[in-house]
Amino acid sequence: MNSTAQTPAPTRSQRRRDRSPEHAATSRFIPHVQGLRAIAVLFVVLYHFWPARLSGGYVGVDIFFVISGFLITAHLARELTSTGTVKLGQFWARRARRLLPASLLVLLFCAIVAAVPFLTPTSALPAEVKEIIASTFYVENWYLAFNSADYLAQAGDPTTVQHYWSLSLEEQFYVLWPLIMLLAAWVAVKWFRGDRLRAAAIAIGLVSVASFVFCVVYTITDPAPAYFVTMGRMWQFGVGAVIALVPMLRVRNAVVSFVLGWAGIIALLYTAFRFDGQTPFPGYAALLPTLGAAAIIAASNTDRWWYPTRLLSIPPMRFTGDISYSLYLWHWPLIIIAPSVPFWGLTIYHRVALLVICFVLAWLTKRFVEDPARTWKPLTTRPPKVTLWAALAAMILVGAVAAGGWAINAPAYQQGVQAIEDVRENPPACFGAASVLDESCAGTELDTILPAPGFAGVDRPSDEQCFIQLNDSRAKSCEFGSDDPDAPQVALIGDSHAFQLLSTFQGIAEREGWHLTTYFKGACPWNATPLATGGSFGAACSDWRAGVDAQLADRDFDVVFTSAISNTPYSSAGFESAHEAAVAGYQKAWSTMTDRGIPVITVVDNPVFETDPNKCLRTRDQAECSGARADVLLEDDPLRDAAEGAEDVTLLDFTDVFCDEDTCKTVIGGANVYRDQDHLTVTFVDTLAPQYTQAMKDAMAAAG
């Protein structure tokens, strides 16, 4: 009989060392920091509910970064001091139990909602699935960075999980930070026989300085990904970490603490109300909310009730801070989904009710998911690897549910895309604008809505490489149509409301044998007046215009077509109003062409809705989804005033196609007009092709 050596059963003390307790070192609960969490989450939530009222509320995320840097570093420092090391497995297992249950619950909810066409447009499903999977594995910030998403832009269709970018970044911080501290401590002991915490503080300081420099430079050169990338945000964690590692920064003096705390609160309120989507962020601008949050944390004196530390510790603030994580998780998906729910609108009452629902869900999640999972004995009494493997299994499950939703709906998605192609190639009679402009179509009504509300979002020009965004100032041109040197030369110039015409103009150029040249930049119309938007974005717009004008000067066009959104903010310097400045700017830009005998054609802007009409059309009758003319149409369009009376400038005005005396429609002659709140579907723009074509032919004929 073979004998084998038996391993002695582990002692109680050995089991205690191997398992993953909730706290490896004594916790230090700081009430006013919990109140600061409340400020952070309220900023973000109120910004998402009412962006115009709290235009800089997005800085709440920056506050969270500082808090995390402070608390996690303080915890790691205590463990490093008491044990000489950091048990990475235990640390990561605690983070997993603390964060993943609630996070994966919300992601599972979003995955199920995404698979239900009644709640999510099928055209949005590919983006939803990709971002749910990216969020599940905590790389959502990099996904958005690589796709150049603009978090601060209000247009477009963000997914239900876009807010997970900050959670992804925090998880990456939880992986990197203990490694940095351990490496610094090892170097100090190995070669310098120095203090571990001092070495960690120096290492974190160096990382933070490098991160801040990177953040500033990258925000200037490429602001969209700069908002999301990990290296550009590490310095904000580092600011909180330095407070944790340098005891003298935690101020106990009553007067200094009072002044420091209130200065921090004032700084945060200033950023919340004065910053907006045009603020170059993060960059230098992120210093103010970051240092404001740090000042509040550092203000440690609690002697008097009127001190910020005491006011932030009152029960309502503590309660909101307690549920802040779940509140952050739930609020954004509900905001995105709510407009698609039948009988739910966007009135102030609906928004307040939804806000209350968010608080209730957050409390329930905290009470029945967060807290139990953190102390669940099947995990806490076992080695950390059990928690980590369980977490990975749960993440794979959520990813599989999201992928399954795509598999179920993929055939419907393909059918929807094919339907768009079919209606573009063979539109019904009296379809779209023809139902209004063609006298023979009077009284004709079509019951269909094409493209279907669930697919309008993908009905857009495909040549996005021709569209310059954000701080990119390249005067990039794209060429389409005939290559015949004698072909009439047409230019299409402007912002996204010019870009929405691209596919239609490509078709016109192909049919007529014309050559089409395009110049597009987001939020930057072809106008000589500077934008009211300052900073790098305004400078990039001015540089782009200069580059376009230089290229136009070297080209002989037969006609130039331009379009722009009507509510672009222009600088009023030198004029009585921004409107007059805009009018003068258009006329000056156009004169560079008309002075050479090249005609210019422009078009009055289409109505702009507060939210994507397709969310309404999916659940309501089209008559209920119209907008009041006074609310969605800017009657005082500077393009109209600039064109009237200008020589060699033709003005097209399709306002009567979009609107009657009181309302503006979202479906016209069976054609779905909008792909989002202000951009037209290619399908609808195609129905205006005869008018665009004739206007250009007439302008070229008049120019001789």
Side-chain angles (χ1 to χ4, degrees):
M1 180 176 179
N2 294 332
S3 63
T4 58
Q6 294 186 354
T7 302
T11 65
R12 179 176 298 179
S13 61
Q14 288 174 325
R15 289 195 300 268
R16 189 181 298 118
R17 286 196 301 269
D18 290 339
R19 67 191 187 194
S20 180
E22 180 56 26
H23 298 287
T26 304
S27 178
R28 304 288 194 275
F29 179 75
I30 306 175
H32 79 275
V33 173
Q34 202 70 347
L36 185 58
R37 285 187 196 270
I39 291 178
V41 76
L42 289 175
F43 274 8
V44 174
V45 170
L46 295 178
Y47 165 67
H48 285 152
F49 270 91
W50 294 281
R53 301 293 179 87
L54 199 70
S55 59
Y58 54 83
V59 300
V61 171
D62 303 76
I63 301 172
F64 276 127
F65 292 162
V66 178
I67 294 172
S68 292
F70 172 73
L71 294 177
I72 294 303
T73 304
H75 174 82
L76 292 171
R78 290 193 297 272
E79 185 173 355
L80 194 61
T81 300
S82 62
T83 68
T85 187
V86 173
K87 295 182 178 179
L88 295 176
Q90 288 186 356
F91 175 78
W92 289 330
R94 286 194 302 273
R95 291 291 89 202
R97 291 197 302 274
R98 166 68 179 88
L99 300 174
L100 263 61
S103 173
L104 295 180
L105 172 66
V106 175
L107 287 172
L108 183 62
F109 168 80
C110 292
I112 294 171
V113 167
V116 180
F118 188 67
L119 294 174
T120 302
T122 307
S123 63
L125 187 58
E128 284 282 348
V129 170
K130 291 175 184 176
E131 292 196 33
I132 288 171
I133 293 175
S135 298
T136 299
F137 293 96
Y138 290 97
V139 291
E140 170 71 353
N141 63 317
W142 287 104
Y143 177 88
L144 294 176
F146 288 139
N147 286 276
S148 295
D150 183 6
Y151 183 77
L152 301 183
Q154 300 302 316
D157 293 305
T159 67
T160 56
V161 298
Q162 181 172 285
H163 64 315
Y164 270 73
W165 75 268
S166 65
L167 304 178
S168 299
L169 203 152
E170 287 215 29
E171 287 292 338
Q172 293 156 28
F173 160 75
Y174 296 142
V175 172
L176 293 174
W177 215 245
L179 295 176
I180 293 173
M181 293 184 67
L182 274 176
L183 178 61
W186 180 77
V187 170
V189 173
K190 182 75 173 178
W191 282 296
F192 301 106
R193 298 183 180 179
D195 182 87
R196 291 181 177 88
L197 294 187
R198 181 179 299 176
I202 293 172
I204 287 171
L206 292 174
V207 169
S208 299
V209 170
S211 171
F212 178 71
V213 172
F214 175 86
C215 174
V216 171
V217 173
Y218 204 24
T219 300
I220 293 172
T221 58
D222 205 352
Y227 195 88
F228 302 107
V229 296
T230 307
M231 185 57 189
R233 296 291 195 153
M234 294 300 283
W235 67 274
Q236 296 179 296
F237 295 95
V239 169
V242 169
I243 299 174
L245 293 173
V246 183
M248 64 181 296
L249 294 179
R250 299 195 286 279
V251 180
R252 293 295 305 171
N253 178 273
V255 174
V256 177
S257 181
F258 174 84
V259 172
L260 196 62
W262 279 114
I265 289 176
I266 291 170
L268 295 184
L269 290 174
Y270 176 85
T271 58
F273 286 99
R274 299 299 297 174
F275 283 16
D276 57 26
Q278 303 301 331
T279 302
F281 204 87
Y284 285 114
L287 271 173
L288 190 55
T290 300
L291 295 180
I296 295 171
I297 294 173
S300 302
N301 192 290
T302 61
D303 289 346
R304 299 289 186 269
W305 69 264
W306 60 82
Y307 286 9
T309 48
R310 289 282 290 276
L311 294 176
L312 289 175
S313 302
I314 62 176
M317 297 297 286
R318 293 265 297 272
F319 170 78
T320 305
D322 288 344
I323 66 169
S324 60
Y325 179 58
S326 288
L327 181 58
Y328 182 84
L329 289 173
W330 279 112
H331 84 281
W332 182 249
L334 297 186
I335 288 174
I336 297 298
I337 296 165
S340 299
V341 177
F343 313 112
W344 194 275
L346 290 171
T347 67
I348 182 66
Y349 305 105
H350 288 107
R351 294 180 192 231
V352 171
L354 189 62
L355 183 60
V356 172
I357 293 172
C358 291
F359 269 84
V360 172
L361 276 176
W363 177 79
L364 290 172
T365 304
K366 174 72 164 56
R367 174 69 176 80
F368 296 105
V369 178
E370 283 190 62
D371 291 344
R374 193 165 55 233
T375 57
W376 195 37
K377 288 186 177 181
L379 296 180
T380 57
T381 57
R382 287 174 171 80
K385 64 182 180 181
V386 175
T387 294
L388 297 176
W389 280 112
L392 179 60
M395 294 163 74
I396 292 173
L397 175 62
V398 172
V401 171
W406 165 248
I408 293 171
N409 289 281
Y413 179 86
Q414 298 300 330
Q415 291 172 8
V417 171
Q418 185 61 49
I420 292 175
E421 295 178 1
D422 292 343
V423 74
R424 284 191 198 173
E425 294 177 4
N426 299 294
C430 299
F431 182 65
S435 65
V436 178
L437 298 173
D438 189 341
E439 294 181 358
S440 65
C441 293
T444 302
E445 294 185 6
L446 298 178
D447 295 331
T448 58
I449 301 179
L450 299 171
F455 288 92
V458 299
D459 194 10
R460 58 190 302 151
S462 58
D463 295 276
E464 294 189 2
Q465 75 280 1
C466 301
F467 186 68
I468 301 302
Q469 300 191 56
L470 299 166
N471 288 13
D472 192 342
S473 60
R474 295 173 298 143
K476 179 179 176 60
S477 65
C478 288
E479 311 290 334
F480 304 97
S482 175
D483 293 328
D484 188 337
D486 296 326
Q489 301 291 308
V490 178
L492 177 60
I493 311 172
D495 59 12
S496 62
H497 280 216
F499 179 69
Q500 69 186 2
L501 309 179
L502 175 57
S503 294
T504 300
F505 273 59
Q506 285 177 280
I508 294 172
E510 294 289 347
R511 288 192 296 272
E512 299 295 333
W514 298 345
H515 184 84
L516 174 67
T517 303
T518 66
Y519 301 92
F520 305 117
K521 178 170 171 57
C524 183
W526 183 39
N527 188 302
T529 298
L531 299 180
T533 308
S536 53
F537 179 82
C541 181
S542 297
D543 292 343
W544 176 81
R545 291 169 172 175
V548 169
D549 287 342
Q551 292 192 34
L552 293 176
D554 294 334
R555 298 280 297 270
D556 289 323
F557 289 102
D558 293 282
V559 64
V560 174
F561 197 106
T562 186
S563 178
I565 192 169
S566 59
N567 58 8
T568 301
Y570 291 95
S571 171
S572 60
F575 297 89
E576 292 186 3
S577 67
H579 177 78
E580 289 190 12
V583 170
Y586 281 124
Q587 292 175 338
K588 184 176 180 180
W590 300 343
S591 68
T592 61
M593 295 289 99
T594 56
D595 287 350
R596 295 167 53 195
I598 300 173
V600 172
I601 303 174
T602 190
V603 59
V604 174
D605 193 27
N606 55 262
V608 173
F609 284 73
E610 182 181 5
T611 189
D612 185 354
N614 289 285
K615 294 179 179 180
C616 174
L617 290 171
R618 290 206 307 274
T619 59
R620 299 171 180 83
D621 184 84
Q622 59 182 268
E624 299 179 48
C625 300
S626 298
R629 179 170 176 148
D631 294 335
V632 301
L633 184 68
L634 183 65
E635 300 282 2
D636 196 20
D637 189 339
L639 278 167
R640 177 189 284 111
D641 293 345
E644 289 178 349
E647 188 175 357
D648 291 331
V649 176
T650 301
L651 176 69
L652 300 179
D653 188 349
F654 299 118
T655 301
D656 290 341
V657 174
F658 293 106
C659 311
D660 57 28
E661 293 183 358
D662 301 316
T663 61
C664 296
K665 303 172 184 177
T666 56
V667 178
I668 298 172
N672 193 342
V673 179
Y674 295 93
R675 59 178 166 87
D676 57 31
Q677 58 262 50
D678 66 289
H679 294 100
L680 306 176
T681 62
V682 172
T683 297
F684 178 77
V685 175
D686 280 349
T687 68
L688 290 168
Q691 285 68 38
Y692 294 135
T693 305
Q694 191 60 49
M696 287 186 282
K697 285 182 176 179
D698 292 345
M700 286 187 281

